[in-house]
Amino acid sequence: MTTYITTPIYYVNAMPHLGHAYTTIVADTYSRFRRLCGDDVRFQTGTDEHGEKIVQAAEEQGCSPREYVDRISAAFQKTWPLLDVAPDNFIRTTNAEHIQVVQEILQKVHDQGDIYFSEYSGHYCKGCERFLTEKELVDGKCPDHLTVPEEISEQNYFFRMSRYQDQLIDHIKKNPEYITPERYRNEVLSFLSEPLEDLCISRPTTRLTWGIPLPFDEKFVTYVWFDALINYLTGIGYPDGPDFEKYWSVAEHVIAKDILKPHAIYWPTMILAMGLTPYKRLHVHGYWNVEETKMSKSIGNVIKPGELVQEYGVDTVRYFLLREMSFGLDSSFSGEAIVTRRNSDLANDLGNLFSRTLTMIGKYVAGRVPEVDEKVVTDEDRTLIGSMEGMLASYQRSMNNFAFHRGLQAVWEVIGELNRYIVTNAPWELAADPAKKKRLDTVLYFLAESLRLIALVLRPVMPQAAEKMAVALGLEESMAGATLATAGRWGILEPGTGVAKGPQLFPRLDTGKQQQPKKKAASRKIEQPTADMEGLITFDQFGKVDLRVAEIIAAEKIKKADKLVKLTLKAPEERTVVAGIAKFYRPEELVGKKVIIVANLKPVKLMGVTSQGMVLAAKDTDEQGRERLVLSTVEGDITPGSKVA
Ligand code: MSP
């Protein structure tokens, strides 16, 4: 099969940040996953370099647009290798070939009567670089940029988007997977239930010169979206390159919800006007906030991918982003959240399983993969094979549907099962009794073979850790060309293969402010099941957390932060706590509840409100992947301020 996966091409008016990194890691992971399925894959990203925003940013930096776009585009190109992101093509809209193709397309669409000249007046938002409809304004302002749009009246060229509206509706209805997750498909269909306005696709050169000149009227340049979307074609050699033939019909685009309209409406209608087949799928994800607050330059909470990698390592960053965000929903980034995932999922669950298994193979069976003796295979072993096969199936289904969090959840379920398998089979006891040698060999084979499969499925997500695992399992060469079809089944690991001493994949990170990897993790005696102390805390440590009952006496939503509620609590003194629960509770239902809070957290300022503590709550997702949250409350007659222990 063939796969063509793209990211948006990013505006060069800002340096790469967490949001760009997430989308690009998603596309990279999918490209690696499809390669693992044996596909011929093309993965493209790039930069969007025309338009007013860019001119403005260049002016602010005191340089020419050309110098400016070269500099920022280079910063994007340098960022991707740091994240182990390996695109096959990096496209820039200032490339001569791209410019030429955009002009050819404009001419064709113009010649067939789908572009016309007309007078237009409307509300122009500079931030969005487009005219907003009356309906889109909130209190007369652009809801995204919170600025009052300029009233502009000018003559421009328009693309007859309305002509393709019915065809587009029909296509979306006939292809349920065209836009996913479903909520975004519904959003698009609902937008399309009203008549579409035609799209203004030019800017007069009196207002903007940094753009692609219209081939049929040099007094105008092309509207940046009409130029940018075409990158998905120029990057594969449209109209007559061999890669275009090969990849266009399977094009899949990944974007965030902010640019749904250009991708789900402008782009498919443009494609229809060009006489091409629609792209295959559009995958839309939610937004990353930072500690429940919108990421923005002015708040100063922009997360830089390079710094993240330096602090946590590339595999941890990739795993965290893919595991933490339910694809389609918003998610919140925090240092604590990434350290928690690293220490519990990576260091404890996977890292310990791996190093324990390899150390036991080294110690008990001279570092060679032992042989299974069918006579001692138990029901538990057979169940384990079933679980591994179930994991492989659910992993593949989830990865294909962009439910990366679910795919990883399936992998971590078997990791948990394997850790329990070690405890129930206690290889250290089997090793102590020569009569149990065959059982010991069988148990160790089951562990090693399971780890081989785990390394295989983790390759798209954590390329470096997966490689280390494969090398340690003696699989280096056979893994290189392995696919899920050739290697994704039970029983491939050859007895006799030499395995290395278990490398430490993920040293634990300090949970304090300095989240640097510890130089050396505490040495453990793997023979003792009780010695597996990593991830546990002592009574003393637990005693430092001051958990208290607090009564909510007032609650109000925080303006401009759709997730946050300001709670006034009695515990027993009055205090303010900001909680990210606005989507799950209305303020009036909160008053009177007795919740559990962490009372001795350092105060933090969130959206201008000082939060003195944290309210405990449990979170999960329902069958449709929607987030759910329930506050931890206490029942019965208890005085606010009482200690919880
Ligand atoms: N240049 C246009 C895209 C043209 S595509 C033909 C553009 N560029 S952008 O630099 O603003 O990038 C927007 C994209 O960056 C989002 O769709 C998303 O992929 C990513 N993100 C930017 N901020 C984000 C978050 N806070 N969270 C998640 N992704 C976000 O729009």
Side-chain angles (χ1 to χ4, degrees):
M1 276 181 35
T2 316
T3 292
Y4 174 34
I5 182 77
T6 70
T7 72
I9 48 170
Y10 304 110
Y11 284 131
V12 288
N13 65 337
M15 292 297 266
H17 60 59
L18 175 70
H20 306 126
Y22 174 72
T23 315
T24 316
I25 288 172
V26 160
D28 180 79
T29 301
Y30 184 68
S31 77
R32 289 173 190 265
F33 165 69
R34 291 304 321 172
R35 282 198 179 102
L36 193 60
C37 295
D39 280 15
D40 169 346
V41 177
R42 179 145 175 128
F43 160 32
Q44 177 170 300
T45 186
T47 41
D48 187 354
E49 306 185 5
H50 290 125
E52 277 168 73
K53 279 189 213 253
I54 311 301
V55 177
Q56 215 174 357
E59 268 167 19
E60 279 163 20
Q61 301 275 314
C63 58
S64 70
R66 165 57 62 189
E67 264 177 286
Y68 176 76
V69 299
D70 284 349
R71 179 148 51 85
I72 311 292
S73 179
F76 275 90
Q77 291 176 59
K78 276 192 209 140
T79 297
W80 303 140
L82 303 177
L83 293 163
D84 278 345
V85 161
D88 300 295
N89 189 29
F90 187 99
I91 188 161
R92 302 182 55 185
T93 54
T94 48
N95 285 349
E97 305 80 48
H98 171 80
I99 294 174
Q100 192 195 328
V101 172
V102 169
Q103 290 183 321
E104 282 168 16
I105 291 173
L106 280 161
Q107 190 68 55
K108 172 182 155 59
V109 178
H110 179 257
D111 292 351
Q112 73 194 31
D114 276 338
I115 290 176
Y116 61 91
F117 193 58
S118 176
E119 173 91 31
Y120 190 80
S121 56
H123 320 284
Y124 190 76
C125 171
K126 268 201 171 163
C128 299
E129 293 211 31
R130 65 180 180 94
F131 287 98
L132 303 181
T133 59
E134 202 70 50
K135 258 194 176 167
E136 283 177 296
L137 301 181
V138 177
D139 299 332
K141 289 183 182 165
C142 162
D144 287 340
H145 297 93
L146 306 173
T147 47
V148 179
E150 231 176 290
E151 293 307 310
I152 292 187
S153 179
E154 65 188 18
Q155 289 192 312
N156 263 314
Y157 285 89
F158 291 81
F159 165 53
R160 282 189 209 282
M161 212 156 61
S162 52
R163 188 176 265 181
Y164 298 94
Q165 176 164 7
D166 291 342
Q167 238 177 303
L168 176 58
I169 296 176
D170 199 45
H171 187 77
I172 298 175
K173 287 196 171 155
K174 281 197 184 128
N175 296 277
E177 298 216 322
Y178 187 59
I179 302 168
T180 57
E182 207 182 347
R183 60 172 57 201
Y184 296 110
R185 176 176 186 262
N186 295 340
E187 198 175 300
V188 172
L189 282 172
S190 133
F191 187 81
L192 286 169
S193 64
E194 304 270 330
L196 263 189
E197 281 179 26
D198 289 340
L199 181 67
C200 176
I201 54 135
S202 64
R203 298 291 179 261
T205 46
T206 47
R207 194 146 69 77
L208 176 74
T209 52
W210 185 245
I212 302 181
L214 290 187
F216 41 83
D217 191 339
E218 66 196 14
K219 293 187 297 308
F220 291 85
V221 294
T222 312
Y223 169 46
V224 67
W225 273 105
F226 202 95
D227 154 4
L229 287 160
I230 290 173
N231 89 85
Y232 300 132
L233 294 174
T234 49
I236 49 170
Y238 172 85
D240 42 25
D243 283 342
F244 171 70
E245 281 291 303
K246 195 156 137 195
Y247 295 113
W248 175 248
S249 61
V250 292
E252 299 185 61
H253 304 308
V254 190
I255 58 163
K257 60 185 184 180
D258 57 333
I259 51 176
L260 178 61
K261 203 165 153 188
H263 280 84
I265 294 175
Y266 305 174
W267 183 222
T269 53
M270 286 165 66
I271 294 171
L272 289 170
M274 281 178 236
L276 297 175
T277 50
Y279 56 75
K280 189 172 149 200
R281 299 197 290 179
L282 178 66
H283 307 278
V284 190
H285 64 76
Y287 246 48
W288 278 98
N289 295 317
V290 175
E291 291 176 357
E292 312 289 344
T293 310
K294 191 175 166 172
M295 189 166 47
S296 96
K297 243 192 198 163
S298 52
I299 301 181
N301 61 353
V302 174
I303 306 276
K304 297 182 187 142
E307 289 179 6
L308 272 189
V309 167
Q310 235 178 358
E311 197 154 358
Y312 306 105
V314 59
D315 284 329
T316 302
V317 171
R318 288 175 67 110
Y319 172 78
F320 170 79
L321 295 177
L322 294 167
R323 176 65 187 85
E324 191 79 4
M325 179 173 260
S326 299
F327 195 89
L329 301 175
D330 289 353
S331 215
S332 185
F333 177 89
S334 72
E336 283 101 87
I338 191 166
V339 172
T340 303
R341 284 262 176 229
R342 156 75 174 233
N343 286 348
S344 80
D345 300 10
L346 298 178
N348 280 2
D349 300 345
L350 174 61
N352 276 353
L353 170 67
F354 189 70
S355 62
R356 277 170 113 181
T357 301
L358 265 57
T359 309
M360 290 192 289
I361 294 179
K363 193 162 174 186
Y364 303 141
V365 290
R368 302 241 155 239
V369 175
E371 225 162 317
V372 170
D373 186 327
E374 289 302 331
K375 289 196 279 303
V376 296
V377 169
T378 62
D379 282 349
E380 190 189 5
D381 298 346
R382 282 183 275 272
T383 306
L384 183 61
I385 298 180
S387 301
M388 295 307 295
E389 286 167 351
M391 175 278 282
L392 285 167
S394 112
Y395 162 87
Q396 287 181 70
R397 210 172 30 247
S398 301
M399 298 293 279
N400 266 324
N401 293 333
F402 278 63
F404 304 99
H405 60 294
R406 281 188 198 279
L408 289 170
Q409 217 172 345
V411 179
W412 258 257
E413 270 162 28
V414 293
I415 290 175
E417 196 174 327
L418 288 162
N419 276 317
R420 289 192 294 278
Y421 182 85
I422 294 186
V423 175
T424 54
N425 286 283
W428 46 93
E429 281 170 15
L430 300 174
D433 181 351
K436 293 184 175 152
K437 168 83 172 101
K438 287 190 172 157
R439 181 66 198 147
L440 173 69
D441 284 357
T442 301
V443 165
L444 293 180
Y445 182 89
F446 268 67
L447 287 168
E449 175 60 351
S450 300
L451 281 168
R452 181 189 67 80
L453 286 169
I454 289 169
L456 186 71
V457 297
L458 288 181
R459 272 166 63 183
V461 176
M462 296 190 283
Q464 292 187 24
E467 172 77 10
K468 267 195 213 162
M469 289 175 74
V471 170
L473 284 165
L475 293 164
E476 202 175 358
E477 276 154 35
S478 53
M479 277 286 274
T483 65
L484 284 166
T486 58
R489 56 203 155 78
W490 185 264
I492 298 229
L493 190 58
E494 287 290 332
T497 307
V499 308
K501 236 180 118 247
Q504 215 190 9
L505 295 175
F506 299 102
R508 284 179 64 78
L509 296 182
D510 275 341
T511 40
K513 254 206 149 10
Q514 278 312 104
Q515 284 129 4
Q516 297 298 343
K518 272 188 187 169
K519 287 263 154 21
K520 223 173 177 184
S523 62
R524 289 173 303 111
K525 284 204 184 92
I526 53 107
E527 296 89 333
Q528 303 295 329
T530 50
D532 186 7
M533 299 294 278
E534 295 201 358
L536 303 183
I537 56 171
T538 62
F539 268 107
D540 275 0
Q541 287 166 324
F542 176 66
K544 287 190 185 142
V545 183
D546 186 12
L547 294 176
R548 288 182 186 273
V549 174
E551 184 177 347
I552 303 178
I553 51 178
E556 60 177 293
K557 282 197 168 186
I558 296 183
K559 277 190 203 121
K560 289 191 213 157
D562 55 355
K563 284 191 167 179
L564 302 184
V565 181
K566 177 181 160 190
L567 302 172
T568 310
L569 303 174
K570 200 165 128 195
E573 77 295 348
E574 226 171 76
R575 64 165 76 206
T576 304
V577 167
V578 175
I581 56 172
K583 292 213 166 130
F584 310 96
Y585 290 92
R586 277 174 285 121
E588 58 275 21
E589 333 172 43
L590 290 165
V591 177
K593 279 196 192 303
K594 282 183 186 154
V595 292
I596 300 175
I597 62 162
V598 181
N600 60 341
L601 270 187
K602 274 197 187 143
V604 284
K605 218 169 192 180
L606 293 168
M607 297 304 282
V609 181
T610 304
S611 179
Q612 304 155 298
M614 184 175 90
V615 176
L616 299 190
K619 226 175 183 181
D620 71 353
T621 48
D622 69 9
E623 284 295 295
Q624 276 82 46
R626 282 183 299 245
E627 250 183 318
R628 299 189 298 194
L629 177 144
V630 176
L631 285 172
S632 308
T633 51
V634 283
E635 279 180 6
D637 188 15
I638 187 94
T639 321
S642 305
K643 214 169 155 41
V644 178

